[in-house]
Amino acid sequence: MKQRYKISIWVALALAGSLLWGGSVWLWLVGLCAGKFLIRLLLTITLAIAVYILSYALIIGAILWILIS
């Protein structure tokens, strides 16, 4: 998707939010961008934790497999 369309969608969401619930369009735009950043950050941290746990489970499983057989 082109950057121009992405920006226009974010501005439209900020404008709709400010019209429905009051407040400044700029505050809504900043809030949307901050929320998007936080959601991406949380998903990245969750994925990193999952990969960390799975890699250690694989290592421990491989060690146990070698010891048992």
Side-chain angles (χ1 to χ4, degrees), residues 9-35:
I9 289 172
W10 284 109
V11 169
L13 285 173
L15 185 62
S18 67
L19 287 175
L20 289 175
W21 290 288
S24 172
V25 174
W26 295 110
L27 286 177
W28 275 93
L29 189 59
V30 168
L32 285 172
C33 292

Side-chain angles (χ1 to χ4, degrees), residues 52-65:
Y52 180 78
I53 291 172
L54 287 175
S55 64
Y56 269 99
L58 180 65
I59 291 170
I60 292 171
I63 291 171
L64 288 176
W65 183 283

Side-chain angles (χ1 to χ4, degrees), residues 43-55:
L43 287 176
T44 303
I45 290 171
T46 305
L47 181 64
I49 290 171
V51 168
Y52 180 78
I53 291 172
L54 287 175
S55 64

